[in-house]
Amino acid sequence: MSNQNYLSISRVDMTFAGAGGAHPVLAGISLDVRRGEYISLIGHSGCGKSTVLSIVAGLLKATSGGVILDGREVNEPGPDRAVVFQNHSLLPWLTVYQNVAIAADKIFKGSRTAAERREWVLHNLAMVNMAHALDRLPSEISGGMKQRVGIARALSMEPKVLLLDEPFGALDALTRARLQDEVVRIQSGLGNTVMMITHDVDEAVLMSDRVVMMTNGPSATIGQVLGIPLPRPRNRIALAEDATYNRCRQEILTFLYEKQRKVEPVGARTSRPMPPMLTPSAIAAMKLA
Amino acid sequence: MHSSEFIEPIRIATPAAPGVVRAALARAGRGFMTHVVPPLVIIGILVLIWQMLGSRPGAALPPPTKVVQDTLELIVSPFYDRGGNDVGIAWQLLASLKRVAYGYSLAVLVGVSLGVLVGQSTWALRALDPLFQVLRTVPPLAWLPISLAGFRDGHPSAIFVIFITSIWPIIINTSIGIRNIPEDYRNVAKVVRLNGIEYFAKIMLPAAAPFIFSGLRIGVGLSWLAIIAAEMLIGGVGIGFFIWDAWNSSRISDIILALFYVGLIGFALDRIVAFIANKVTRGTAAS
């Protein structure tokens, strides 16, 4: 085990048995992630990005191949691979505080006192700026706030890898931009290793050290890996006119829309229109106008 | 079952400025006008029609004034006890409520347990569901002769009839609630590594609580329906027997008074379960 391949996904295949025979989703996924690295997985919807994440989380078992994290094989879910789910998945009958405490209390039951655990929950909620709403129920706070609590819950587990499954997908553009900046700030402070699923090119370039591009399914695999050589901290407004930023963006767009053009079958369900995004390119467009 | 409107609770402001008090009073007054006055008006009109129809010569049923006159003793002293079956209406109601309490508690215990089993295990669902679907359509009173034959006594038979009547909606709703627990909650539990007991207490029961409580509410209503009918047949004590006894001795006014009480208590039982549901689920169950 070295820092160079802290998290190793090796030759993972995934086949779902379904109606009409076996359905191959993933074929030959191999990826090494450094300790402290921020990795994004990008690809068209339905390509199997989330399946990769679920396999790393241990929620799904790969048909063949395996995942090794910090020298140990992953074969069940655990708090060392905390997941932030796309739809926050807070428990609606628990308050903001209790939603984080249910994880922290379970994981640190033997190792920390009740007072230390309480302190730790409060610390994590303060980190995502949710210390003011400890006793609110999830139904009483906004979507962005719910996602903050979901992030606090994942961080409170002190995971070796933080798994983010389209964490900003359901948020409006302004909330999304703020939360992206905060996740990057927290990640650079704590040095977490992060694996994020996204289908947003700007989000991937802005936040990641490397962007992993996936080909379309069935039998999806890694098509290309792009390092993002942008210094941190990154400023989304300054980046709008940055040549490197735009080159990276261009490269991912080319991969997604020319090499891996998604051909929708006729009569497929109509895709939901994406909300407008406050991305560097959008900011640049606004400046031009 | 879902009431879309509710009366805003009046918050008590600590240093109540006169304006605040007046506003609160105005709000309370408006609440009274919009929620209390309409049912009172309708009830008034219905009682008036009843009075007119009942006062006609040769009317089969007594008008409200005569009902009150005839049953004055039952109304003012509900707790008298002259031995035997000659006891106040409150004792009759309490006897019925006691039977409901036994039968319903048993149904809650067994129903929720079976519901969890059927909700958790696909095998149990396949094995038991056809049985449930057939048995739940058997009318309450159809169970009475067989339970009398089995228990050879009226009292346990009545409790059994309540149990068997109210258990089906509890089982079915509990199992639906458990089956509908979002996959995400299960995943959260897996990532945190909750064990079986922790999962049951911290995720499964609270997540299914809104469904379970809607089953409990239907169940309590059914058990109150069943007890009245069962007591008419088994006799002895209880409000159902009281009604049957009143019919046999042509005390129509007593029957009308009893119906009034039965309705009020059924309503109260429903509200009590709804209140508990609301407290337990923090308002996520329909009230």
PDB file of all heavy atoms in Angstrom, chain B residues 263-280:
ATOM      1  N   GLY B 263     -71.276   6.850  19.330  1.00  0.00           N
ATOM      2  CA  GLY B 263     -70.652   7.697  18.315  1.00  0.00           C
ATOM      3  C   GLY B 263     -69.550   8.553  18.910  1.00  0.00           C
ATOM      4  O   GLY B 263     -68.441   8.639  18.369  1.00  0.00           O
ATOM      5  N   LEU B 264     -69.846   9.178  20.046  1.00  0.00           N
ATOM      6  CA  LEU B 264     -68.853  10.055  20.662  1.00  0.00           C
ATOM      7  C   LEU B 264     -67.596   9.281  21.058  1.00  0.00           C
ATOM      8  O   LEU B 264     -66.474   9.755  20.858  1.00  0.00           O
ATOM      9  CB  LEU B 264     -69.438  10.729  21.907  1.00  0.00           C
ATOM     10  CG  LEU B 264     -70.349  11.925  21.650  1.00  0.00           C
ATOM     11  CD1 LEU B 264     -70.772  12.547  22.977  1.00  0.00           C
ATOM     12  CD2 LEU B 264     -69.661  12.968  20.780  1.00  0.00           C
ATOM     13  N   ILE B 265     -67.802   8.084  21.605  1.00  0.00           N
ATOM     14  CA  ILE B 265     -66.631   7.321  22.052  1.00  0.00           C
ATOM     15  C   ILE B 265     -65.822   6.807  20.863  1.00  0.00           C
ATOM     16  O   ILE B 265     -64.594   6.846  20.868  1.00  0.00           O
ATOM     17  CB  ILE B 265     -67.068   6.182  22.997  1.00  0.00           C
ATOM     18  CG1 ILE B 265     -67.492   6.827  24.299  1.00  0.00           C
ATOM     19  CG2 ILE B 265     -65.946   5.173  23.200  1.00  0.00           C
ATOM     20  CD1 ILE B 265     -67.805   5.888  25.406  1.00  0.00           C
ATOM     21  N   GLY B 266     -66.514   6.364  19.826  1.00  0.00           N
ATOM     22  CA  GLY B 266     -65.797   5.953  18.615  1.00  0.00           C
ATOM     23  C   GLY B 266     -64.964   7.091  18.070  1.00  0.00           C
ATOM     24  O   GLY B 266     -63.795   6.904  17.714  1.00  0.00           O
ATOM     25  N   PHE B 267     -65.542   8.269  18.073  1.00  0.00           N
ATOM     26  CA  PHE B 267     -64.822   9.454  17.612  1.00  0.00           C
ATOM     27  C   PHE B 267     -63.601   9.707  18.503  1.00  0.00           C
ATOM     28  O   PHE B 267     -62.493   9.948  18.013  1.00  0.00           O
ATOM     29  CB  PHE B 267     -65.767  10.659  17.631  1.00  0.00           C
ATOM     30  CG  PHE B 267     -65.117  11.965  17.281  1.00  0.00           C
ATOM     31  CD1 PHE B 267     -64.758  12.249  15.974  1.00  0.00           C
ATOM     32  CD2 PHE B 267     -64.864  12.906  18.262  1.00  0.00           C
ATOM     33  CE1 PHE B 267     -64.162  13.448  15.654  1.00  0.00           C
ATOM     34  CE2 PHE B 267     -64.252  14.110  17.948  1.00  0.00           C
ATOM     35  CZ  PHE B 267     -63.908  14.388  16.645  1.00  0.00           C
ATOM     36  N   ALA B 268     -63.820   9.615  19.822  1.00  0.00           N
ATOM     37  CA  ALA B 268     -62.726   9.873  20.759  1.00  0.00           C
ATOM     38  C   ALA B 268     -61.589   8.860  20.566  1.00  0.00           C
ATOM     39  O   ALA B 268     -60.418   9.239  20.554  1.00  0.00           O
ATOM     40  CB  ALA B 268     -63.235   9.836  22.194  1.00  0.00           C
ATOM     41  N   LEU B 269     -61.930   7.584  20.381  1.00  0.00           N
ATOM     42  CA  LEU B 269     -60.895   6.558  20.180  1.00  0.00           C
ATOM     43  C   LEU B 269     -60.053   6.894  18.958  1.00  0.00           C
ATOM     44  O   LEU B 269     -58.827   6.822  18.980  1.00  0.00           O
ATOM     45  CB  LEU B 269     -61.537   5.181  20.001  1.00  0.00           C
ATOM     46  CG  LEU B 269     -62.147   4.534  21.240  1.00  0.00           C
ATOM     47  CD1 LEU B 269     -62.829   3.220  20.864  1.00  0.00           C
ATOM     48  CD2 LEU B 269     -61.089   4.292  22.300  1.00  0.00           C
ATOM     49  N   ASP B 270     -60.726   7.276  17.881  1.00  0.00           N
ATOM     50  CA  ASP B 270     -60.025   7.616  16.648  1.00  0.00           C
ATOM     51  C   ASP B 270     -59.074   8.792  16.870  1.00  0.00           C
ATOM     52  O   ASP B 270     -57.927   8.769  16.446  1.00  0.00           O
ATOM     53  CB  ASP B 270     -61.045   7.950  15.561  1.00  0.00           C
ATOM     54  CG  ASP B 270     -60.380   8.257  14.236  1.00  0.00           C
ATOM     55  OD1 ASP B 270     -59.731   7.334  13.697  1.00  0.00           O
ATOM     56  OD2 ASP B 270     -60.481   9.398  13.758  1.00  0.00           O
ATOM     57  N   ARG B 271     -59.597   9.820  17.571  1.00  0.00           N
ATOM     58  CA  ARG B 271     -58.764  11.002  17.805  1.00  0.00           C
ATOM     59  C   ARG B 271     -57.579  10.681  18.700  1.00  0.00           C
ATOM     60  O   ARG B 271     -56.489  11.237  18.534  1.00  0.00           O
ATOM     61  CB  ARG B 271     -59.579  12.140  18.444  1.00  0.00           C
ATOM     62  CG  ARG B 271     -60.697  12.720  17.605  1.00  0.00           C
ATOM     63  CD  ARG B 271     -60.386  12.940  16.172  1.00  0.00           C
ATOM     64  NE  ARG B 271     -59.200  13.742  15.923  1.00  0.00           N
ATOM     65  CZ  ARG B 271     -58.694  13.977  14.727  1.00  0.00           C
ATOM     66  NH1 ARG B 271     -59.250  13.460  13.658  1.00  0.00           N
ATOM     67  NH2 ARG B 271     -57.627  14.708  14.587  1.00  0.00           N
ATOM     68  N   ILE B 272     -57.770   9.792  19.673  1.00  0.00           N
ATOM     69  CA  ILE B 272     -56.669   9.442  20.581  1.00  0.00           C
ATOM     70  C   ILE B 272     -55.542   8.774  19.791  1.00  0.00           C
ATOM     71  O   ILE B 272     -54.376   9.143  19.913  1.00  0.00           O
ATOM     72  CB  ILE B 272     -57.168   8.513  21.719  1.00  0.00           C
ATOM     73  CG1 ILE B 272     -58.050   9.313  22.677  1.00  0.00           C
ATOM     74  CG2 ILE B 272     -55.981   7.913  22.481  1.00  0.00           C
ATOM     75  CD1 ILE B 272     -58.825   8.459  23.658  1.00  0.00           C
ATOM     76  N   VAL B 273     -55.917   7.811  18.939  1.00  0.00           N
ATOM     77  CA  VAL B 273     -54.874   7.133  18.151  1.00  0.00           C
ATOM     78  C   VAL B 273     -54.206   8.132  17.208  1.00  0.00           C
ATOM     79  O   VAL B 273     -52.979   8.138  17.050  1.00  0.00           O
ATOM     80  CB  VAL B 273     -55.456   5.933  17.377  1.00  0.00           C
ATOM     81  CG1 VAL B 273     -54.372   5.270  16.529  1.00  0.00           C
ATOM     82  CG2 VAL B 273     -56.040   4.920  18.333  1.00  0.00           C
ATOM     83  N   ALA B 274     -55.003   9.029  16.615  1.00  0.00           N
ATOM     84  CA  ALA B 274     -54.429  10.030  15.714  1.00  0.00           C
ATOM     85  C   ALA B 274     -53.478  10.951  16.472  1.00  0.00           C
ATOM     86  O   ALA B 274     -52.414  11.324  15.965  1.00  0.00           O
ATOM     87  CB  ALA B 274     -55.542  10.853  15.069  1.00  0.00           C
ATOM     88  N   PHE B 275     -53.846  11.296  17.704  1.00  0.00           N
ATOM     89  CA  PHE B 275     -53.011  12.175  18.515  1.00  0.00           C
ATOM     90  C   PHE B 275     -51.672  11.507  18.828  1.00  0.00           C
ATOM     91  O   PHE B 275     -50.607  12.112  18.672  1.00  0.00           O
ATOM     92  CB  PHE B 275     -53.753  12.525  19.809  1.00  0.00           C
ATOM     93  CG  PHE B 275     -52.958  13.365  20.766  1.00  0.00           C
ATOM     94  CD1 PHE B 275     -52.829  14.730  20.562  1.00  0.00           C
ATOM     95  CD2 PHE B 275     -52.341  12.787  21.852  1.00  0.00           C
ATOM     96  CE1 PHE B 275     -52.087  15.505  21.431  1.00  0.00           C
ATOM     97  CE2 PHE B 275     -51.592  13.557  22.737  1.00  0.00           C
ATOM     98  CZ  PHE B 275     -51.465  14.916  22.521  1.00  0.00           C
ATOM     99  N   ILE B 276     -51.751  10.229  19.222  1.00  0.00           N
ATOM    100  CA  ILE B 276     -50.513   9.496  19.518  1.00  0.00           C
ATOM    101  C   ILE B 276     -49.659   9.411  18.252  1.00  0.00           C
ATOM    102  O   ILE B 276     -48.446   9.632  18.290  1.00  0.00           O
ATOM    103  CB  ILE B 276     -50.830   8.082  20.055  1.00  0.00           C
ATOM    104  CG1 ILE B 276     -51.566   8.190  21.390  1.00  0.00           C
ATOM    105  CG2 ILE B 276     -49.551   7.273  20.225  1.00  0.00           C
ATOM    106  CD1 ILE B 276     -52.149   6.883  21.880  1.00  0.00           C
ATOM    107  N   ALA B 277     -50.308   9.123  17.115  1.00  0.00           N
ATOM    108  CA  ALA B 277     -49.577   9.026  15.843  1.00  0.00           C
ATOM    109  C   ALA B 277     -48.837  10.322  15.566  1.00  0.00           C
ATOM    110  O   ALA B 277     -47.667  10.326  15.194  1.00  0.00           O
ATOM    111  CB  ALA B 277     -50.543   8.722  14.707  1.00  0.00           C
ATOM    112  N   ASN B 278     -49.530  11.419  15.772  1.00  0.00           N
ATOM    113  CA  ASN B 278     -48.944  12.715  15.481  1.00  0.00           C
ATOM    114  C   ASN B 278     -47.754  12.998  16.387  1.00  0.00           C
ATOM    115  O   ASN B 278     -46.729  13.514  15.956  1.00  0.00           O
ATOM    116  CB  ASN B 278     -50.023  13.786  15.655  1.00  0.00           C
ATOM    117  CG  ASN B 278     -49.698  15.033  14.873  1.00  0.00           C
ATOM    118  OD1 ASN B 278     -48.829  15.008  14.006  1.00  0.00           O
ATOM    119  ND2 ASN B 278     -50.366  16.110  15.185  1.00  0.00           N
ATOM    120  N   LYS B 279     -47.889  12.621  17.660  1.00  0.00           N
ATOM    121  CA  LYS B 279     -46.782  12.820  18.606  1.00  0.00           C
ATOM    122  C   LYS B 279     -45.590  11.953  18.220  1.00  0.00           C
ATOM    123  O   LYS B 279     -44.455  12.414  18.208  1.00  0.00           O
ATOM    124  CB  LYS B 279     -47.238  12.463  20.028  1.00  0.00           C
ATOM    125  CG  LYS B 279     -48.092  13.513  20.688  1.00  0.00           C
ATOM    126  CD  LYS B 279     -47.244  14.672  21.198  1.00  0.00           C
ATOM    127  CE  LYS B 279     -48.123  15.896  21.356  1.00  0.00           C
ATOM    128  NZ  LYS B 279     -47.628  17.073  20.729  1.00  0.00           N
ATOM    129  N   VAL B 280     -45.879  10.685  17.919  1.00  0.00           N
ATOM    130  CA  VAL B 280     -44.796   9.740  17.688  1.00  0.00           C
ATOM    131  C   VAL B 280     -44.073  10.042  16.376  1.00  0.00           C
ATOM    132  O   VAL B 280     -42.849   9.996  16.297  1.00  0.00           O
ATOM    133  CB  VAL B 280     -45.334   8.289  17.684  1.00  0.00           C
ATOM    134  CG1 VAL B 280     -44.256   7.314  17.251  1.00  0.00           C
ATOM    135  CG2 VAL B 280     -45.821   7.918  19.073  1.00  0.00           C
TER     136      VAL B 280
END
